[in-house]
Amino acid sequence: MPITADSAPFRLNGLVLTAKESEKHFATLFNLSPNVVLLTRFEDGLICNANCHFESTFGWPLQECVGRTTLDIGLWTDPLQRRHALDRTFATAKPAHLETQWCARDGGVHDGTLYTQQLELDAGVYLLSTFIDNTEHKLAQQALKASEEKFAKAFHSSPDAIIITEQATGRYLEVNDGFCRLTGYSADDVIGRTVYEFAIMADITQRTRLIQEMEEHGRVRNRELLGRDKNGEIITVDVSIDPLMLNDIECLLITARDISQLKNAQAQIQHLAYHDSLTNLPNRALLMDRLSQQIALLKRHNLRGALLFLDLDHFKHINDSLGHPVGDSVLKVITARLEASVRLEDTVARLGGDEFVVLISGLEGTRDAVIDQVRGQADTLRQLLAEPMFLDGHRLQVTPSIGVALIPDHGSTPADLLKRADIALYRAKDSGRNATQMFHSTMQKAASDRLRLENDLRQALARGEFSLSYQPQVDTRGNRIVGAEALLRWQHPSLGNLPPNQFIQVMEESGMILEVGNWILEEACKAGSELVRKGLIDTQDFSLCVNISPRQFRQTDFVERVERCLRTYDLPNRLLKLEITEGIVIQNLEDTIAKMLQLKQMGISFAMDDFGTGYSSLTYLKRLPVDALKIDQSFVRDATSDPNDAEIVRAIVAMAASLNLAIIAEGVEKQEQLDFLAQLDCHFYQGFLFSEPLSVAGFEALLRERQIE
Ligand code: C2E
Ligand code: MG
Ligand code: MG
């Protein structure tokens, strides 16, 4: 039954209101209440009235509820609670309250506090229920709790140390497990005490700087600090500090991360980046670094230093013949000897391979005195390194060549100094190795000349500056041309015709000989094949001689290259004779022999060039499948004037005869030289006496002329 204006008067808490007053008062309360208000008849529980919040909260329009009970519309999630509420209402005159849950029309459950009060109206006894909906508040509380739990979890499970202190006093308010792990202190040890009571921050100046930074910027980001744990061990930490308001108290939130391991790893990486892994010596990068420091330091104190560039002579042979592990051991022994022989303030570095550098600093005295001193030191070093070493059952002896640059006399930058020491080293090697060589300005020119030559050579092939000349080889018996040696010519754009002795070595060292050598072989085969086609040479009795440099011969596919070349130009294999030098056998005799045999099987023959100037060792000569020896022109030239050379020629001829090898003399310029050779039964020769090297056209004309004769 809805409350109407007729239902007055009524009593509320013993206060008697007039009908008009009470109606007005009640209606106001009823509708203005921010809560749900419901009026039910006491005797049968039928709903009489409800305010607008009832519908908006529980979804029931008033007209659908009137005449039904709260149980009928399923308001109670637990009907027992209704009973409870009623009991309490009777037990006290005051409004009874109860924490309860009411259910909305759509099934949604609302938590709330229910206030109930009995109401006596003229029409009967009623129950006034006020429901304060706590659902949102409860949800908010739950969310807060969850967030607090989350924060606590994050706080404690963080791998970092997190500390909250009171800013003004430095008092520890909260620390997490990360803090305990990092410092060794427990939360009980520190909470309530101040940061000043512990020496966790190891460095006082760092602490002052931190406070300053806090004052200036209001916070601190990723500052690296030294800390001290409970045992007094130093730890490196990365610290960030943020201000934090807690219950109106200014606090600091401090996070610290242990970066000791990171620092160690960093140091290790840095060590690796600046040291050579085999010997643990400083590498080029570190040397350059120290060198630039030294240059500045020496200049400031008016002192000198020296850069010794060392290279082990023939180290490659050790690696090739005994293997890399032995080579590595040699380098370690050398390292130990070098380190033992320099002062602590000097630097020994390894640039790679068998190249070492010793940086000596703080030398006093006149320039000449310093030069003497350094030379003396370098020579002592050389002797020390040359001491025999016993490795893996081998007795080894390695000698170094040393190039020296003076600091600052020979350069003011690390790169310049290193380059100049290297130039001096090159000169030391050139002059026969196992030597010390001081840099001299004239060397710079030689070095830059060489560099220019190298650059020019790189373009020579593409620019068509190379050509081949052919020097006839003659059999004195019958004066027949029995062969020709192809000789490389280079028409340099500005320097004119350059003799091969001036550039073959450069090509060999730079590796250009591989490409150019290939071209030479092709060019010679092409020319030879042309002469055969024109019927100018007798394919049964002619040798086309091509010089092959050691590096060229060592190419793994050398045999295939030669084979391909002969096929391409259709030159009969037996026409080709390869001139090799003793340098070829220095490395891997077995491989050399195998390759030679393969080529010989194809019909190609071999001559040993410049014989007598190298090892001239019978042992390997016996094993090498060569067909002929070429007596070096230096012996031929002096054989008629120098009895010693005459003797050498005689011995070589005898050796060839006993080994059943053909013999040919080169560089024959005079008739008397030819007579001397003939008397030894050496009938083949090559030299200006018969002909200088000729262009291909010139050689062709010569052959034609001879054919007509
Ligand atoms: P080599 O192989 O011993 O060549 C013989 C050298 O002696 C040639 O010098 C030739 O011109 C020179 N010669 C010949 N007869 C006489 C003579 O009667 N008197 C004098 N004084 N010299 C004579 P060239 O052409 O200057 O070559 C010098 C060296 O350069 C060659 O010595 C050879 O080792 C190298 N070479 C030349 N051409 C080539 C090539 O195509 N490939 C390779 N790898 N080396 C080459
Ligand atoms: Mg030759
Ligand atoms: Mg020769």
Side-chain angles (χ1 to χ4, degrees):
M1 182 193 86
I3 302 278
T4 63
D6 312 325
S7 343
F10 73 99
R11 261 165 254 118
L12 182 65
N13 284 344
L15 187 75
V16 180
L17 299 169
T18 65
K20 215 169 169 81
E21 274 173 343
S22 67
E23 179 205 349
K24 203 174 152 199
H25 195 79
F26 188 75
T28 309
L29 279 178
F30 207 71
N31 287 320
L32 278 189
S33 167
N35 303 308
V36 174
V37 188
L38 190 67
L39 191 72
T40 50
R41 204 157 64 182
F42 189 77
E43 62 183 270
D44 50 12
L46 290 180
I47 298 169
C48 304
N49 206 348
N51 71 353
C52 59
H53 297 303
F54 180 74
E55 182 178 348
S56 63
T57 307
F58 293 102
W60 288 104
L62 182 61
Q63 55 274 27
E64 284 190 43
C65 307
V66 171
R68 298 169 74 183
T69 67
T70 50
L71 289 174
D72 290 344
I73 63 165
L75 203 58
W76 299 92
T77 51
D78 179 2
L80 268 180
Q81 290 204 323
R82 174 172 177 269
R83 194 55 280 141
H84 234 75
L86 289 176
D87 289 349
R88 288 206 188 176
T89 313
F90 294 125
T92 164
K94 283 192 260 170
H97 76 272
L98 178 78
E99 293 304 319
T100 185
Q101 283 183 327
W102 273 7
C103 201
R105 194 177 194 181
D106 63 4
V109 174
H110 291 251
D111 288 290
T113 312
L114 181 67
Y115 290 88
T116 48
Q117 184 167 16
Q118 197 182 322
L119 199 65
E120 285 171 29
L121 298 178
D122 285 347
V125 181
Y126 292 85
L127 193 69
L128 185 68
S129 307
T130 304
F131 183 87
I132 300 174
D133 194 344
N134 290 332
T135 311
E136 269 179 30
H137 176 70
K138 200 164 173 185
L139 284 178
Q141 285 253 293
Q142 273 170 358
L144 187 68
K145 199 169 162 223
S147 126
E148 266 173 7
E149 272 169 14
K150 250 189 278 177
F151 172 76
K153 208 164 180 185
F155 185 77
H156 283 294
S157 63
S158 166
D160 298 338
I162 308 179
I163 304 132
I164 300 174
T165 60
E166 203 178 67
Q167 184 167 13
T169 59
R171 193 173 303 283
Y172 284 102
L173 298 181
E174 190 98 57
V175 296
N176 72 344
D177 298 346
F179 169 85
C180 304
R181 273 195 304 275
L182 180 72
T183 61
Y185 291 106
S186 70
D188 289 343
D189 285 342
V190 294
I191 286 179
R193 297 173 68 185
T194 69
V195 294
Y196 307 105
E197 295 175 61
F198 302 92
I200 293 177
M201 216 178 259
D203 188 329
I204 292 290
T205 54
Q206 283 187 341
R207 183 155 64 188
T208 321
R209 218 171 310 134
L210 212 59
I211 292 170
Q212 259 173 12
E213 193 171 339
M214 226 20 233
E215 277 167 7
E216 273 171 39
H217 304 288
R219 61 181 213 174
V220 172
R221 274 283 157 273
N222 300 103
R223 199 60 51 237
E224 195 181 306
L225 298 176
L226 289 182
R228 185 174 286 132
D229 67 10
K230 197 176 179 181
N231 297 324
E233 300 278 346
I234 293 289
I235 39 182
T236 315
V237 284
D238 176 272
V239 171
S240 294
I241 306 178
D242 286 285
L244 182 73
M245 260 330 222
L246 277 187
N247 302 330
D248 285 338
I249 300 172
E250 286 185 343
C251 297
L252 295 178
L253 176 71
I254 306 167
T255 49
R257 173 171 299 188
D258 184 0
I259 53 166
S260 309
Q261 261 180 345
L262 193 74
K263 291 289 285 182
N264 286 345
Q266 214 170 33
Q268 207 176 349
I269 290 166
Q270 195 151 43
H271 184 86
L272 287 176
Y274 282 108
H275 289 82
D276 164 54
S277 57
L278 177 71
T279 60
N280 208 23
L281 286 177
N283 62 9
R284 181 187 291 267
L286 185 54
L287 172 75
M288 296 310 246
D289 219 54
R290 295 217 182 140
L291 197 49
S292 40
Q293 286 170 16
Q294 276 301 317
I295 295 170
L297 205 75
L298 293 171
K299 260 190 198 153
R300 203 172 321 131
H301 296 99
N302 217 2
L303 292 169
R304 283 194 165 82
L307 199 66
L308 274 56
F309 202 140
L310 282 90
D311 186 294
L312 306 180
D313 302 331
H314 301 301
F315 179 71
K316 198 175 172 329
H317 295 172
I318 294 181
N319 263 342
D320 287 347
S321 54
L322 301 176
H324 284 269
V326 175
D328 285 354
S329 304
V330 170
L331 293 174
K332 285 184 188 162
V333 172
I334 295 292
T335 301
R337 291 183 184 177
L338 281 173
E339 284 192 311
S341 58
V342 301
R343 298 166 308 169
L344 218 57
E345 58 267 40
D346 298 335
T347 298
V348 179
R350 178 173 174 228
L351 299 192
D354 59 343
E355 291 180 345
F356 293 86
V357 168
V358 177
L359 169 62
I360 302 173
S361 55
L363 301 172
E364 281 177 280
T366 63
R367 180 187 161 117
D368 285 348
V370 167
I371 288 178
D372 279 351
Q373 190 185 340
V374 172
R375 209 187 283 280
Q377 264 176 288
D379 287 339
T380 315
L381 220 57
R382 221 151 38 74
Q383 279 165 14
L384 205 87
L385 297 188
E387 295 270 316
M389 48 179 101
F390 298 89
L391 290 173
D392 209 13
H394 302 279
R395 178 186 186 276
L396 295 173
Q397 188 168 21
V398 263
T399 56
S401 296
I402 305 179
V404 184
L406 280 190
I407 314 170
D409 309 61
H410 295 148
S412 53
T413 67
D416 272 357
L417 285 162
L418 204 62
K419 197 170 84 195
R420 288 180 181 156
D422 191 21
I423 290 172
L425 170 68
Y426 184 80
R427 195 48 84 79
K429 289 226 172 255
D430 218 31
S431 67
R433 304 171 202 267
N434 191 13
T436 302
Q437 181 68 57
M438 189 69 66
F439 174 80
H440 194 275
S441 54
T442 51
M443 289 178 196
Q444 183 82 48
K445 188 175 174 330
S448 53
D449 283 354
R450 189 195 137 102
L451 201 67
R452 197 166 320 125
L453 194 73
E454 214 177 295
N455 285 335
D456 291 345
L457 269 173
R458 277 185 208 288
Q459 305 179 29
L461 195 60
R463 288 183 178 171
E465 290 164 9
F466 288 130
S467 64
L468 290 184
S469 283
Y470 297 87
Q471 186 175 35
Q473 297 176 334
V474 191
D475 181 351
T476 45
R477 300 160 299 187
N479 214 18
R480 281 178 315 120
I481 296 179
V482 292
E485 180 180 10
L487 294 160
L488 183 62
R489 296 292 173 257
W490 179 22
Q491 183 66 36
H492 188 280
S494 57
L495 302 172
N497 231 325
L498 286 183
N501 291 336
Q502 283 188 21
F503 62 85
I504 294 276
Q505 185 65 19
V506 179
M507 290 206 293
E508 174 84 5
E509 281 166 16
S510 63
M512 278 185 268
I513 194 71
L514 301 183
E515 200 189 347
V516 178
N518 223 21
W519 178 85
I520 293 168
L521 196 64
E522 294 206 357
E523 196 68 10
C525 289
K526 190 160 60 177
S529 153
E530 192 70 356
L531 295 175
V532 171
R533 204 178 53 78
K534 289 177 178 167
L536 293 171
I537 53 178
D538 176 358
T539 50
Q540 293 309 308
D541 193 17
F542 190 89
S543 295
L544 179 66
C545 302
V546 177
N547 293 287
I548 301 296
S549 82
R551 191 154 178 181
Q552 209 182 338
F553 190 82
R554 277 203 298 275
Q555 282 178 105
T556 40
D557 62 344
F558 181 67
V559 176
E560 289 77 34
R561 273 174 193 274
V562 174
E563 193 177 10
R564 210 176 318 132
C565 190
L566 288 167
R567 222 178 323 118
T568 308
Y569 296 101
D570 199 20
L571 185 78
N573 292 5
R574 64 158 307 283
L575 283 189
L576 185 64
K577 183 179 269 177
L578 302 180
E579 291 195 5
I580 55 172
T581 55
E582 289 169 295
I584 270 180
V585 298
I586 288 187
Q587 267 169 358
N588 209 341
L589 185 62
E590 300 309 323
D591 183 53
T592 307
I593 293 173
K595 265 192 195 153
M596 286 174 80
L597 286 174
Q598 264 179 291
L599 290 161
K600 273 186 73 89
Q601 245 162 18
M602 289 159 49
I604 294 157
S605 57
F606 286 94
M608 182 62 81
D609 207 352
D610 306 336
F611 194 75
T613 55
Y615 307 93
S616 312
S617 146
L618 246 185
T619 336
Y620 77 73
L621 199 58
K622 266 204 267 184
R623 297 194 56 201
L624 285 182
V626 288
D627 303 274
L629 296 184
K630 278 186 104 173
I631 309 173
D632 188 70
Q633 51 181 285
S634 59
F635 305 118
V636 175
R637 186 176 55 227
D638 300 328
T640 47
S641 54
D642 184 337
N644 198 35
D645 283 347
E647 206 44 54
I648 291 172
V649 173
R650 211 172 278 131
I652 293 174
V653 173
M655 197 186 222
S658 75
L659 290 172
N660 222 359
L661 301 176
I663 185 110
I664 176 166
E666 62 182 359
V668 178
E669 292 180 357
K670 296 178 188 149
Q671 185 60 43
E672 53 190 274
Q673 290 163 342
L674 197 59
D675 293 342
F676 169 75
L677 290 162
Q679 165 215 314
L680 294 176
D681 256 354
C682 171
H683 304 291
F684 295 106
Y685 81 99
Q686 184 184 335
F688 295 169
L689 179 65
F690 182 80
S691 168
E692 290 193 4
L694 303 167
S695 67
V696 70
F699 184 52
E700 192 180 319
L702 177 72
L703 288 173
R704 249 178 235 290
E705 208 177 283
R706 310 276 303 182
Q707 231 175 16
I708 296 164
E709 275 174 11

